[in-house]
């Protein structure tokens, strides 16, 4: 008996020792070794402290600046710590989120070199974010890696072919007109001020619900509400991403996020179930969900997605598909409200290109100035303000830089879009004409303008966005003029995407 007890105690001590050593290695030794390797390249950065890394400084400086005047110099207000560290360490340095070192990159030349060294399939996403955002994206296209990513991308790409996009256009027109009819009724009954962010987000939500999932906004509302609640739960609390056991600092929020994630999964599972029953019929199944299901039923082993993967893609598209586009249109409305000359120019262009005719997809390419405006808005206010990567193997960039496998990278898109060295001294001014004869807007480096990301992992939905952006804006500008409300407070903030913290109140006037 005594021997058994002794054996039992030794086993427990060994197990505890193993857990302790694993923790020390994963939280201390491995990150420190990776850091040393990075530093050998001559990289510097702010000094971290255990176990928070540089999170303390970042939180302290991250004050939500609200102002009645509108400055587009948002990098220094959104990321004051990055702006400060750039001044001290340059456009590439190492900082720490908890016990995870991150290579900060705002140098387009380095990105170009990395892109030639690493193919899309071999780029990973930082494990720390994959875990943190699991409830939101699961292992959908945004977060998947390697062969999984290639398979998902292969299955999803056909859903965005020009024929499918064209078929979505009439639903976009119909849904936008419904919003505008409602605005007309409200203006007639005395309302002048509208929260445009809320309006556009609801309409973009309705568009994605109809075009991607073949459901009404009403049916999709529960999903939207839960996704929004999940987004707020995940991104609005003081978070400790990368800090060991960071989720335990907000146990209630972590549980809430998990529960919301499971409820959203369940909602999508019933949606998929219903569509699976329909797919045996011969009706058109060319929306996103129809395409995914068709592929998973008939795509063959190498091309198919499991039901769990289809759910993850649905979440990714429900969220990514409406929020980013809605925000691009919202920021455009702000910039046009404060630049009446551009509002007039776009209206004139619409008169010339569309006239009194119904909008036709083929006309949209003629809206050149609208394209410049969109590019300039996405430069100043990129809906996706950063991109993240993780090296899946050692990367050697010429003889200059050696990045060890496992290195996390943070690509500061806002930082590059607001860099005077790349754009000139007028970098923070709204000047759509930059894009007149140049798709890079006169940026001194082709990789300095990345609103839709880069390389093979570039945004899969960008053509859908161009289509929706031009249709919604054309219809709004044809029926309303707008000015900024005196109650507007300029306070861009990041809740995963870049958004106006307090909405966008505009005063509308029917034309
Ligand atoms: C203004 C609108 C949009 C912006 C600014 C935007 C921005 C981006 C950016 C920067 C990336 C690259 C992220 C990275 O490299 O880590 C990306 C990827 C992605 N976007 Fe978008 N996006 C927009 C609209 C859309 C729409 C409408 C959809 C879907 C309907 C969508 C779905 C995706 C997906 C699935 C990926 C991951 C692609 C991959 O990794 O292969 N996006 N987007």
């Amino acid at each position: 008996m005594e021997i058994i007890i002794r054996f039992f105690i030794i086993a427990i001590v060994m197990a505890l020792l193993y857990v302790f050593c694993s923790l020390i290695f994963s939280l201390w030794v491995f990150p420190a070794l990776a850091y040393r390797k990075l530093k050998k390249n001559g990289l510097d950065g702010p000094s971290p402290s255990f176990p928070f890394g540089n999170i303390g400084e970042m939180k302290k400086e991250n004050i939500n600046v609200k102002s009645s005047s509108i400055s587009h110099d948002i990098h220094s207000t959104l990321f004051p710590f990055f702006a400060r560290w750039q001044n001290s360490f340059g456009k590439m340095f190492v900082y720490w989120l908890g016990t995870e070192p991150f290579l900060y990159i705002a140098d387009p030349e380095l990105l170009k070199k990395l892109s030639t060294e690493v193919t899309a399939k071999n780029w990973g996403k930082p494990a720390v974010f994959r875990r943190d955002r699991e409830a939101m994206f699961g292992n959908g296209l945004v977060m998947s890696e390697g062969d999984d990513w290639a398979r998902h991308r292969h299955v999803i790409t056909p859903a965005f072919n020009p024929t499918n996009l064209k078929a979505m256009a009439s639903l976009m027109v119909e849904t936008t007109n419904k919003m505008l009819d409602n605005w007309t009724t409200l203006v007639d009954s005395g309302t002048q001020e509208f929260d445009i962010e809320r309006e556009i987000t609801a309409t973009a939500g309705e568009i994605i619900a109809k075009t991607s999932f073949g459901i009404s906004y009403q049916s999709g509302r529960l999903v939207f509400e839960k996704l929004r609640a999940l987004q707020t739960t995940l991104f609005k609390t003081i978070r400790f991403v990368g800090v060991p056991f960071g989720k335990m600092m907000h146990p209630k929020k972590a549980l809430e996020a998990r529960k919301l994630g499971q409820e959203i999964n369940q909602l999508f599972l019933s949606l998929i179930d219903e569509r699976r029953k329909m797919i045996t019929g011969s009706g058109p199944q060319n929306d996103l969900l129809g395409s995914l299901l068709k592929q998973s039923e008939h795509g063959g082993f190498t091309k198919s997605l499991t039901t769990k993967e289809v759910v993850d893609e649905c979440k990714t598209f429900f969220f990514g598909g409406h929020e980013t586009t809605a925000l691009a249109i919202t920021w455009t409305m702000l910039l046009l409200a404060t630049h009446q000359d551009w509002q007039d120019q776009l209206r004139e262009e619409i008169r010339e290109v569309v006239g009194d005719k119904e909008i036709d997809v083929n006309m949209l390419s003629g809206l050149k100035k609208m394209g410049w405006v969109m590019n300039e808005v996405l430069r100043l206010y990129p809906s996706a303000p950063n991109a993240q990567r993780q090296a899946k193997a050692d990367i050697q960039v010429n003889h200059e830089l050696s990045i060890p496998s496992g290195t996390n990278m943070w690509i500061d898109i806002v930082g590059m879009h607001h860099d005077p060295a790349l754009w000139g001294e007028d970098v923070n001014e709204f000047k759509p004409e930059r894009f007149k004869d140049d798709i890079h807007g006169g940026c001194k480096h082709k990789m300095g303008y990345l609103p839709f990301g880069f390389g093979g992992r570039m945004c899969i939905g960008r053509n859908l966005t161009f289509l929706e952006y031009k249709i919604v804006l054309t219809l709004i500008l044809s029926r309303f003029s707008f000015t900024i409300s005196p109650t507007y407070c300029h306070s861009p903030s990041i809740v995963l995407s870049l958004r106006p913290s307090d909405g966008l109140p505009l005063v509308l006037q029917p034309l």
Side-chain angles (χ1 to χ4, degrees):
M1 185 67 180
E2 206 178 298
I3 291 181
I4 295 177
I5 292 174
R6 232 185 249 171
F7 179 76
F8 194 61
I9 290 173
I10 291 173
I12 289 179
V13 170
M14 296 289 279
L16 286 175
L17 211 63
Y18 174 76
V19 171
F20 179 73
C21 289
S22 306
L23 282 175
I24 291 289
F25 269 85
S26 67
L27 301 180
W28 193 294
V29 181
F30 293 141
L33 285 175
Y35 186 46
R36 261 182 48 189
K37 278 193 193 165
L38 280 174
K39 287 201 90 163
K40 273 195 188 150
N41 294 292
L43 292 170
D44 208 344
S47 307
S49 63
F50 185 82
F52 293 103
N54 300 108
I55 288 181
E57 282 174 81
M58 294 163 85
K59 300 269 177 234
K60 210 160 50 192
E61 288 181 45
N62 204 353
I63 304 156
N64 197 355
V65 180
K66 295 183 189 250
S67 164
S68 52
S69 68
I70 298 172
S71 158
H72 305 311
D73 178 10
I74 60 167
H75 188 244
S76 55
T77 51
L78 280 173
F79 302 111
F81 39 89
F82 285 153
R84 189 165 55 77
W85 291 334
Q86 264 203 28
N87 283 337
S88 309
F89 310 113
K91 292 189 180 146
M92 193 171 54
F93 54 81
V94 184
Y95 74 102
W96 291 67
L97 286 181
T99 56
E100 296 267 342
F102 270 75
L103 178 60
Y104 169 94
I105 303 174
D107 173 3
E109 184 53 26
L110 172 65
L111 273 185
K112 185 178 146 199
K113 288 176 180 161
L114 287 174
S115 290
T116 45
E117 292 298 322
V118 187
T119 59
K121 194 173 127 178
N122 293 326
W123 271 128
K125 294 291 173 107
V128 67
F129 290 133
R130 284 164 53 81
R131 279 195 302 273
D132 184 57
R133 297 170 189 189
E134 160 71 27
M136 195 99 201
F137 299 111
N139 196 32
L141 196 57
V142 172
M143 287 297 169
S144 56
E145 302 175 333
D147 288 337
D148 266 354
W149 170 80
R151 182 169 48 90
H152 282 233
R153 185 102 191 180
H154 188 83
V155 169
I156 294 166
T157 299
F160 291 94
N161 69 32
T163 317
N164 282 358
L165 289 185
K166 258 188 187 176
M168 294 176 184
S170 58
L171 280 171
M172 291 178 183
V173 172
E174 182 190 301
T175 311
T176 311
N177 273 331
K178 197 177 96 192
M179 171 182 78
L180 300 183
D181 291 344
N182 187 39
W183 288 4
T184 306
T185 313
L186 287 168
V187 169
D188 286 348
S189 60
T191 310
Q192 281 191 320
E193 196 173 297
F194 291 75
D195 180 353
I196 293 298
E197 189 212 356
R198 206 178 53 207
E199 294 285 319
I200 301 286
T201 305
T203 294
E206 187 161 348
I207 289 175
I208 202 82
K210 286 178 181 164
T211 56
S212 295
F213 302 97
I215 55 171
S216 69
Y217 183 64
Q218 238 18 50
S219 322
R221 224 176 65 188
L222 202 54
V223 180
F224 281 113
E225 280 168 7
K226 289 195 186 294
L227 268 178
R228 182 51 67 97
L230 176 59
Q231 187 185 8
T232 315
T233 310
L234 276 178
F235 296 97
K236 264 208 163 157
T237 49
I238 298 177
R239 290 162 4 98
F240 295 94
V241 178
V243 176
F245 312 109
K247 279 194 177 161
M248 287 185 186
M249 297 191 197
H250 290 291
K252 247 175 100 180
K253 291 274 171 204
L255 269 177
E256 202 179 313
R258 221 176 111 98
K259 191 164 160 268
L260 280 165
Q262 284 166 349
E263 286 169 5
I264 294 167
N265 288 354
Q266 212 44 53
L267 286 168
F268 276 117
L269 277 174
S270 8
L271 186 65
I272 290 167
D273 235 26
E274 270 173 44
R275 284 298 289 273
R276 275 227 166 92
K277 284 180 201 145
M278 285 164 61
I279 216 165
T280 44
S282 55
Q285 300 291 340
N286 286 337
D287 60 17
L288 180 83
L289 182 55
S291 260
L292 291 187
L293 290 177
K294 234 191 302 180
Q295 288 279 7
S296 26
E297 303 282 317
H298 310 295
F301 180 71
T302 49
K303 284 211 266 169
S304 63
L305 299 183
T306 63
T307 301
K308 156 91 175 68
E309 287 171 333
V310 175
V311 168
D312 288 347
E313 291 309 349
C314 288
K315 288 198 282 194
T316 300
F317 284 96
F318 231 69
F319 176 73
H322 86 286
E323 165 134 325
T324 43
T325 312
L327 287 168
I329 299 171
T330 300
W331 289 117
T332 302
M333 296 288 284
L334 168 72
L335 285 154
L336 292 180
T338 48
H339 293 84
Q340 290 292 327
D341 53 329
W342 275 101
Q343 213 181 114
D344 295 340
Q345 286 194 55
L346 291 196
R347 223 169 261 121
E348 186 51 39
E349 183 177 71
I350 293 167
R351 258 194 294 273
E352 279 165 19
V353 175
V354 183
D356 294 330
K357 296 186 279 294
E358 299 254 306
I359 294 192
D360 179 298
V361 179
N362 300 320
M363 294 170 177
L364 299 178
S365 59
L367 296 170
K368 303 268 183 245
K369 287 187 178 173
M370 195 180 280
W372 311 343
V373 167
M374 179 179 179
N375 288 337
E376 180 68 339
V377 170
L378 284 173
R379 183 183 72 80
L380 287 171
Y381 295 92
S383 313
N386 50 65
Q388 297 109 28
R389 293 284 185 276
Q390 189 175 51
K392 287 287 161 199
D394 291 347
I395 309 172
Q396 185 64 42
V397 181
N398 303 333
H399 295 293
E400 304 156 26
L401 187 65
S402 164
I403 298 178
S405 173
T407 302
N408 297 310
M409 292 168 226
W410 180 278
I411 298 151
D412 189 353
I413 295 178
V414 178
M416 291 193 293
H417 287 191
H418 288 261
D419 183 350
L422 292 173
W423 299 88
E425 285 313 310
D426 59 359
V427 64
N428 292 316
E429 289 170 34
F430 175 65
K431 287 190 166 176
E433 65 272 23
R434 287 176 212 277
F435 289 91
K436 187 172 175 214
D437 296 311
D438 181 356
I439 51 166
H440 301 106
C443 182
K444 293 195 179 117
H445 198 292
K446 283 183 182 153
M447 296 285 280
Y449 179 61
L450 301 177
F452 292 103
F454 60 97
R457 291 207 72 142
M458 198 179 258
C459 177
I460 201 166
R462 60 193 188 285
N463 289 335
L464 176 64
T465 294
F466 289 131
L467 182 70
E468 184 172 334
Y469 181 93
K470 286 194 169 175
I471 288 179
V472 174
L473 210 56
T474 299
L475 292 170
I476 295 178
L477 285 163
S478 306
R479 289 178 61 177
F480 289 90
S481 72
F482 41 89
T483 48
I484 193 97
S485 157
T487 59
Y488 175 67
C489 190
H490 194 54
S491 175
S493 67
I494 309 244
V495 187
L496 191 58
S497 317
L498 175 61
R499 58 174 56 253
S501 313
D502 301 318
L504 173 60
L506 293 187
V507 176
L508 298 183
Q509 264 166 350
L511 290 169

